[in-house]
Amino acid sequence: MTLIRSSILSPAPYAYAATAPADARLIFLAGSCPLDEAGATVGKGDYAVQARQCLGNMKTALDEAGAALEDVISTRVLVASTDRADLVRAWEIVRQAFGANDVPSTLLGVTVLGYEGQLVEIEAVAAVRG
């Protein structure tokens, strides 16, 4: 993967684009939700706890697909709130998890998500060679 930055666009805490190697297998993940193994929503009312659960579930799905967070080439973070502070709480957890792999990402405030009490959902695409 190659992360693409721009000296023309405003500085951002993520790359503006990413390319996958030509021989890579792309993995498109469904939105990762803050659900436990029994299907119950974890961390009701807590954006950070829900973001962590989403990331944990994403790591499991990636592992089962033969990939890891380091293979992710883009994300979309959905947060059920109109308050930017809530979006930032979820975003900080996601950015911390990805560390130096600051892939292109979109952060969206939405009105509602699919599960009762759900505040965060994270979509991703990964690229794995071989």
Side-chain angles (χ1 to χ4, degrees):
M1 164 188 40
T2 302
L3 295 176
I4 300 166
R5 303 176 193 291
S6 175
S7 61
I8 299 168
L9 298 171
S10 66
Y14 49 81
Y16 273 99
T19 61
D23 61 344
R25 176 175 53 94
L26 295 179
I27 302 166
F28 298 88
L29 283 80
S32 180
C33 299
L35 304 177
D36 64 15
E37 291 177 3
T41 302
V42 171
K44 289 188 179 179
D46 191 322
Y47 293 90
V49 168
Q50 288 201 5
R52 282 188 198 94
Q53 183 70 31
C54 290
L55 288 161
N57 292 343
M58 177 184 293
K59 288 177 186 178
T60 299
L62 285 165
D63 183 57
E64 292 190 13
L69 281 182
E70 296 77 24
D71 299 311
V72 170
I73 61 173
S74 71
T75 64
R76 181 175 302 136
V77 181
L78 305 143
V79 181
S81 180
T82 58
D83 185 340
R84 280 194 179 95
D86 297 333
L87 277 70
V88 169
R89 270 191 278 291
W91 175 252
E92 287 174 345
I93 300 301
V94 174
R95 292 307 322 138
Q96 183 179 36
F98 279 88
N101 187 28
D102 57 348
V103 299
S105 189
T106 300
L107 176 63
L108 298 168
V110 299
T111 56
V112 67
L113 291 166
Y115 291 98
E116 183 71 32
Q118 181 182 2
L119 300 172
V120 180
E121 186 163 336
I122 306 170
E123 299 176 12
V125 177
V128 178
R129 282 193 154 136

